[in-house]
Amino acid sequence: MTIGIVVFPGSNCDRDVRWALEGCVGLPTRFLWHEERDLSGLDAVVIPGGFSYGDYLRCGAIARFAPVLELVRLFAEAGGAVLGICNGFQVLTEMGLLPGALTRNARLHFLCEPTPLSVKPGNCRWLTGYSEAEAIVLPIAHGEGRYQCERAQLAELEANGQVVLRYASNPNGSVGDVAGLTNAGGNVLGLMPHPERACDPLTGGLDGLRLLASLCN
Amino acid sequence: MVAASFEAPAYSVPDALKKENLSQADYDEICRRLCRAPNRAELGMFGVMWSEHCCYRNSRPLLQGFPTTGPRILVGPGENAGVVDLGEGQRLAFKIESHNHPSAVEPFQGAATGVGGILRDIFTMGARPIALLNALRFGPLEDERNVGLMEGVVAGIAHYGNCVGVPTVGGEVAFDPSYSGNPLVNAMALGLMETEEIVCSGAEGVGYPVIYVGSTTGRDGMGGASFASAELTEASLDDRPAVQVGDPFLEKGLIEACLEAFQSGDVVAAQDMGAAGLTCSCSEMAAKGGLGIELDLDKVPAREAGMTAYEFLLSESQERMLFVVKPGREEALMARFSRWGLQAAVVGRVLEDNIVRVLQHGQVAAEVPASALADDTPINHHDLISEPPAEIQAHWRWSEAQLPADLPFSWNDALLALLDDPTIASKRWVYRQYDHQVQANTVVPPGGADAAVVRLRPQQGEGAMAAASRGVAAVVDCPNRWVALDPERGAMAAVAEAARNLSCVGAEPLAITDNLNFPSPETPTGYWQLALACRGLSAACSALDTPVTGGNVSLYNETRLPDGRMQPIHPTPVVGMVGLVHDLAQVRGQAWCAAGDAIWLLGVPLETGEAPADPRLSLAGSSYLERLHGAVTGRPPEIDLVLERSVQAFLRQAIAHGLVASAHDLSDGGLAVAAAEGCIATMALIPLGAELEIPASSARLDRLLFAEGGARILVSVPADQDAAWQQTLAAEAVPAERLGVVTAAASLVIRQAGQPLLEQSLAAMEACYEQAIPRRMGEGARAE
């Protein structure tokens, strides 16, 4: 089992995801430079946090045209497991793999702090290690994490069980307290909190470990 | 006049000198060195190179007294950053730098580019930046303008640091009216060496190509170094073009590409382009290498057409570096930068003669001996007054006896007022805007302990995937109110407190970088402040074995008020100190850990019975005096560096042996505030309180509760370690007294001889402490 980690110019959590997967969970990884066109041998792909291409224009708006993402799209459409964390979540919405958009936080400040969340795993392959309505704490670190979508869209997502992570105390003004979303197939997960920052007892909690380890099961 | 013998230049000399902040004497010296009059571009080069910012023309004689060597010091002052040996093959580069004037006129970009600049100083050496800290000063938040400045500065630091992927792990923020209009923004960076050899800046290899990498050169930041070396006025707002615009995305690529390039071994020298841009980097590289550099401006990647030689040479466009590389390696090296979407171009070569020659349109636009620019730069001599200035002597005549016997407030009120003082209060509003976790090594985040702690796990290469048990601790400190009242004691206290903060987390202090933020040195008081602060820094660094590895000097921090008077800042020598954590499992925070743990005061004891007043403790210059009595006066207490050293060493040893559960130094607000902070810090864990009993004493109660002074630390000792702790205390003969116990009740109680003096609930203390800054910034604390 090998997990690909996409690296754009401006990604800055790529090495942190590698540390969490290799150093904490024990899964081998391979970096995928944004111009990479070979995903062979990969069992999952992580799009990490950061500021892809400087996040000019709009977060993730330029990244969606990266060559590597053409293959990631095909990989996801074929049922491959794809995880987008923070900027990665923004990229997934820009690509249309997940609905809605992420905008500037209410009050406009970048926020970095531990955030209590409620998990509703549904059929999401990345959340098999969590129980229904489990309360966990993961850190957030974003300036543009306010989830937005049409009211009807939100109702549909909720009805389908795709709102898999919610803020217990909404820090950024997201509609429906949405912190993370999965697609209908449950193979794609996008979330603003950073599970890779909660895999190492020395630097944070351990509530993210089961998310990254879920692919071992 | 020397200049008269040369052909007159084709520009107005008086106007040009005014623009470049140079004197007629400087001009005469330039003519003497060149044996002719400089052309306009050359004069601009001298203007920036001879500014205080680049050549310390006012402070150099004072800086020469600093201790700069030691067994762990690999690189001292003079290079882009200092480097210390951490053992086990690891080396740490670190440095602090100010961006005060740019932040005053354009807070967001001024602060952002301050972060970018200090990061380049670190990775230019071959070190990967692993942590950022900052020391900030603003005027009171009751003034809308200061609120706006703080909003902008914090957002700028967040913007740059968060995007570039280096965690901002700590810092300090303080407020005083003297900083209104002239905020201070000092940024410190730490980096872990990733190359075998430390990359230095002296040019080598006659004929070797000179390569320019990074961003393009534009007209932004023109003359920033000269601008930074002059006082601020209302008209300074018109100098906004002197403030650079930063691009952290480019810097992120530049870090990766530079570290790759250095690891290839193709780069023989590197210099970042900070203050004075191309001028400074060329002349520094040439002067340090004893060689020359020829630079062809037509080959420099330009952001816009039609730039003059003057503009190219003085531009402070950000995210640029200059390399000398091995011949034949140019293409491979430039390809690395192209891959990251960065500019890279061969722009010149190394010359045998020690000159900086600038070509444009096939002609020589400037040609100056490198040594004329960079060596033996002029020194502004100032006379040091032999007595403290009269206004300082007046302050020193104040005594505690002048305080009223009957006070119109209770001790409960006084404590809450101090917790509501923005200088003391929680800085969560600030640090929650900084990504303090990226790189996955932050062991102690901001607010958790007296110093930040970062694990020493490399980001890539050998060891990146292995658990690491060692760490580096870092802190920035400056008790500016004390420095204003007594520059020598205040500066000593800055070093002592920084070392104490590191000791409280269990780290061994190693070395400092200093940022001397001062008003004009041209007044007798201004120069006296600078000279005495340097004397204090030297004494304390020598006593505590923490040599100075470099730093930054920022003078002329003063604002011309509308009525024409000058408002100088509090002299603010910020000390950035780094320490080594031998075992991360033994790091200690400031929060109490368990009910029943004993609370001890280590160091200078409280006065008991009829004991005379201890000169090492005082309400003079204290937060209590300012906040509750509206006075900033008195002479700060004596600094006992001998006791400081022994108390800190004892604490580190006790922590290493697991005898101590928490440690927190007594700083602003004295004993009562330190005890309150020990309680408040438990809110993130298991809420705990404390009951303290202070001895019966003839000393004033406010003195016992709120007096400030060095060498005092509040520790909690687990019940099962009590015997070992007392045994060690007895063996080491370190002053210590047991004051009380950690309680499960969520409140702080302080009694004297059984009589309650103060009882405050954890909730009330936390509300004051947490809301102080958000309330003044016009928002609720957690309602984002």
Side-chain angles (χ1 to χ4, degrees):
Chain A
M1 161 155 298
T2 302
I3 298 180
I5 303 169
V6 174
V7 183
F8 303 109
S11 293
N12 64 26
C13 298
D14 44 334
R15 293 188 180 94
D16 299 3
V17 171
R18 167 171 271 186
W19 163 247
L21 284 169
E22 288 196 15
C24 303
V25 181
L27 289 173
T29 64
R30 190 166 97 215
F31 281 140
L32 303 170
W33 184 239
H34 65 130
E35 291 162 329
E36 178 67 56
R37 290 182 179 277
D38 177 15
L39 300 192
S40 60
L42 295 178
D43 298 280
V45 173
V46 180
I47 308 176
F51 293 73
S52 53
Y53 306 95
D55 273 347
Y56 296 124
L57 207 60
R58 197 170 65 238
C59 293
I62 302 173
R64 62 180 282 214
F65 297 108
V68 70
L69 291 189
E70 290 174 28
L71 298 177
V72 171
R73 176 193 299 280
L74 296 176
F75 183 81
E77 285 170 357
V82 174
L83 174 65
I85 303 167
C86 198
N87 191 224
F89 184 16
Q90 294 162 345
V91 171
L92 290 174
T93 61
E94 286 288 334
M95 289 171 75
L97 285 178
L98 292 172
L102 293 142
T103 60
R104 286 287 292 274
N105 294 347
R107 308 299 296 257
L108 307 179
H109 287 158
F110 186 100
L111 294 175
C112 177
E113 58 194 4
T115 309
L117 299 161
S118 170
V119 193
K120 198 162 179 282
N123 70 339
C124 182
R125 280 170 57 188
W126 294 92
L127 298 172
T128 53
Y130 299 85
S131 52
E132 181 69 20
E134 184 175 345
I136 63 170
V137 176
L138 295 177
I140 56 166
H142 60 247
E144 305 191 24
R146 181 183 199 173
Y147 185 74
Q148 310 262 22
C149 69
E150 299 279 343
R151 193 171 298 176
Q153 171 99 66
L154 182 64
E156 189 188 324
L157 289 169
E158 285 176 340
N160 290 345
Q162 288 176 249
V163 181
V164 288
L165 281 171
R166 282 178 205 273
Y167 298 111
S169 170
N170 194 333
N172 56 22
S174 292
V175 299
D177 301 327
V178 171
L181 278 185
T182 191
N183 64 346
N187 59 311
V188 176
L189 172 65
L191 76 169
M192 288 313 297
H194 287 264
E196 82 281 13
R197 296 184 181 189
C199 293
D200 183 341
L202 203 54
T203 56
L206 286 171
D207 284 351
L209 198 63
R210 283 170 285 159
L211 195 156
L212 293 180
S214 64
L215 300 174
C216 298
N217 304 329
Chain B
M1 289 229 341
V2 184
S5 58
F6 299 114
E7 194 180 331
Y11 54 89
S12 159
V13 173
D15 291 352
L17 289 177
K18 187 153 183 282
K19 176 139 191 262
E20 303 301 339
N21 235 335
L22 289 169
S23 67
Q24 182 65 40
D26 291 333
Y27 182 76
D28 296 343
E29 176 64 19
I30 293 166
C31 292
R32 194 187 65 76
R33 291 188 181 197
L34 296 182
C35 302
R36 62 179 168 81
N39 67 29
R40 189 65 189 82
E42 290 165 344
L43 189 73
M45 293 167 76
F46 280 99
V48 289
M49 290 300 289
W50 287 9
S51 67
E52 174 66 31
H53 191 85
C54 289
C55 83
Y56 307 112
R57 59 186 301 165
N58 291 288
S59 55
R60 205 166 353 130
L62 302 175
L63 306 180
Q64 281 161 355
F66 287 160
T68 57
T69 56
R72 286 192 185 268
I73 309 300
L74 299 175
V75 175
E79 282 292 342
N80 285 298
V83 182
V84 291
D85 187 354
L86 300 176
E88 302 187 12
Q90 290 180 313
R91 294 155 297 161
L92 184 80
F94 71 106
K95 172 109 180 274
I96 194 166
E97 196 160 86
S98 65
H99 239 212
N100 302 334
H101 283 63
S103 303
V105 298
E106 178 57 60
F108 183 92
Q109 287 297 343
T113 53
V115 174
I118 195 63
L119 289 173
R120 282 193 296 287
D121 281 338
I122 298 302
F123 67 81
T124 307
M125 309 281 294
R128 176 179 295 278
I130 59 168
L132 285 162
L133 294 93
N134 53 71
L136 310 178
R137 294 289 183 283
F138 300 99
L141 295 177
E142 282 66 30
D143 181 342
E144 276 299 312
R145 220 166 80 122
N146 296 324
V147 168
L149 284 169
M150 180 149 131
E151 274 278 1
V153 165
V154 172
I157 291 171
H159 164 70
Y160 209 102
N162 297 351
C163 182
V164 81
V166 179
T168 301
V169 296
E172 53 145 22
V173 190
F175 303 85
D176 184 86
S178 69
Y179 302 109
S180 285
N182 194 137
L184 300 184
V185 178
N186 294 180
M188 174 174 167
L190 279 61
L192 199 53
M193 293 294 303
E194 280 193 357
T195 57
E196 279 297 311
E197 299 290 321
I198 296 167
V199 182
C200 288
S201 55
E204 281 179 51
V206 174
Y208 279 22
V210 173
I211 292 189
Y212 169 113
V213 299
S215 183
T216 50
T217 296
R219 287 188 169 107
D220 58 327
M222 293 298 305
S226 323
F227 164 64
S229 304
E231 77 215 22
L232 286 166
T233 62
E234 279 298 319
S236 299
L237 291 175
D238 300 334
D239 280 334
R240 280 212 188 91
V243 180
Q244 314 84 339
V245 177
D247 184 344
F249 165 67
L250 282 181
E251 180 114 327
K252 165 73 173 145
L254 195 58
I255 293 174
E256 302 297 340
C258 283
L259 291 175
E260 284 175 17
F262 297 151
Q263 274 152 15
S264 73
D266 295 338
V267 180
V268 299
Q271 174 73 43
D272 86 296
M273 285 185 241
L278 275 166
T279 297
C280 187
S281 52
C282 284
S283 36
E284 289 280 338
M285 291 181 94
K288 282 191 186 145
L291 296 168
I293 284 184
E294 182 178 83
L295 176 72
D296 187 346
L297 296 179
D298 298 341
K299 294 181 180 154
V300 171
R303 197 168 299 168
E304 48 198 315
M307 287 174 60
T308 64
Y310 179 91
E311 288 168 332
F312 268 110
L313 289 168
L314 273 71
S315 161
E316 290 187 10
S317 290
Q318 298 287 290
E319 294 92 23
R320 302 179 300 159
M321 315 261 275
L322 213 54
F323 292 165
V324 173
V325 307
K326 290 178 182 161
R329 303 303 302 159
E330 301 92 319
E331 291 304 323
L333 194 117
M334 291 194 292
R336 291 179 194 280
F337 287 85
S338 304
R339 180 170 180 267
W340 285 99
L342 297 166
Q343 303 283 337
V346 178
V347 294
R349 62 196 172 99
V350 177
L351 304 174
E352 188 168 4
D353 296 335
N354 184 226
I355 56 168
V356 175
R357 182 188 296 142
V358 181
L359 307 175
Q360 191 182 32
H361 313 316
Q363 293 185 330
V364 175
E367 183 168 312
V368 182
S371 58
L373 277 170
D375 292 347
D376 297 323
T377 51
I379 290 176
N380 293 359
H381 290 283
H382 303 281
D383 290 327
L384 179 58
I385 47 179
S386 55
E387 292 285 313
E391 68 267 27
I392 294 290
Q393 294 194 34
H395 281 304
W396 289 2
R397 284 191 288 273
W398 179 88
S399 84
E400 284 168 13
Q402 288 168 247
L403 286 174
D406 292 325
L407 297 171
F409 48 78
S410 69
W411 303 128
N412 276 337
D413 295 342
L415 176 61
L416 291 186
L418 286 167
L419 293 175
D420 181 59
D421 179 342
T423 298
I424 291 175
S426 167
K427 306 303 183 298
R428 187 187 307 275
W429 184 91
V430 176
Y431 65 70
R432 73 200 292 242
Q433 297 188 51
Y434 303 147
D435 186 339
H436 46 259
Q437 295 178 311
V438 66
Q439 297 194 8
N441 283 327
T442 307
V443 176
V444 175
D450 283 13
V453 177
V454 176
R455 172 171 56 190
L456 286 166
R457 179 180 62 86
Q459 284 294 290
Q460 60 175 35
E462 213 177 316
M465 288 303 133
S469 61
R470 302 195 316 151
V472 61
V475 70
V476 283
D477 244 311
C478 180
N480 50 272
R481 197 170 43 222
W482 282 14
V483 186
L485 293 168
D486 186 331
E488 187 172 12
R489 288 186 182 176
M492 287 162 84
V495 179
E497 181 166 349
R500 202 182 316 127
N501 286 336
L502 294 183
S503 298
C504 282
V505 298
E508 174 197 349
L510 298 180
I512 77 156
T513 174
D514 65 291
N515 207 133
L516 304 178
N517 307 276
F518 280 74
S520 167
E522 292 169 25
T523 66
T525 299
Y527 190 70
W528 176 81
Q529 289 174 331
L530 185 59
L532 268 83
C534 287
R535 193 184 288 174
L537 287 176
S538 293
C541 287
S542 297
L544 299 175
D545 282 336
T546 51
V548 181
T549 62
N552 175 244
V553 179
S554 169
L555 303 180
Y556 304 98
N557 286 291
E558 46 198 23
T559 318
R560 190 176 291 281
L561 301 172
D563 65 7
R565 283 181 306 122
M566 296 305 289
Q567 169 65 59
I569 62 159
H570 276 182
T572 314
V574 173
V575 170
M577 191 180 283
V578 295
L580 180 60
V581 177
H582 295 275
D583 181 3
L584 288 171
Q586 294 294 351
V587 166
R588 292 295 176 264
Q590 53 180 242
W592 314 128
C593 297
D597 288 359
I599 297 172
W600 288 74
L601 175 63
L602 205 54
V604 180
L606 296 169
E607 290 122 349
T608 307
E610 297 298 318
D614 192 320
R616 297 170 298 181
L617 293 176
S618 182
L619 288 173
S622 68
S623 294
Y624 167 80
L625 189 61
E626 179 174 23
R627 188 80 180 158
L628 279 303
H629 298 274
V632 176
T633 190
R635 185 170 194 190
E638 286 176 14
I639 309 296
D640 184 345
L641 292 171
V642 174
L643 180 65
E644 191 74 69
R645 189 185 160 102
S646 64
V647 163
Q648 292 182 19
F650 175 81
L651 175 64
R652 292 195 300 271
Q653 191 197 342
I655 289 175
H657 288 111
L659 304 182
V660 169
S662 73
H664 182 28
D665 89 308
L666 273 63
S667 177
D668 290 347
L671 173 67
V673 166
E677 287 171 341
C679 299
I680 294 167
T682 66
M683 289 295 274
L685 313 156
I686 309 153
L688 293 169
E691 284 186 24
L692 304 183
E693 172 87 26
I694 57 177
S697 170
S698 59
R700 295 175 58 94
L701 283 174
D702 45 8
R703 182 176 161 89
L704 294 172
L705 291 171
F706 303 115
E708 296 171 14
R712 296 204 299 168
I713 298 164
L714 212 50
V715 300
S716 64
V717 177
D720 60 0
Q721 297 296 336
D722 193 56
W725 163 260
Q726 298 211 37
Q727 215 168 10
T728 317
L729 267 181
E732 300 290 332
V734 169
E737 57 195 310
R738 190 186 151 125
L739 291 186
V741 65
V742 177
T743 61
S747 64
L748 172 65
V749 181
I750 302 182
R751 296 193 187 89
Q752 186 184 40
Q755 293 298 311
L757 298 177
L758 185 159
E759 178 164 3
Q760 200 54 263
S761 76
L762 188 47
M765 293 190 296
E766 200 221 11
C768 270
Y769 189 75
E770 289 295 344
Q771 297 293 334
I773 291 180
R775 179 164 64 77
R776 289 173 173 85
M777 298 305 287
E779 59 189 69
R782 300 229 170 96
E784 278 295 330

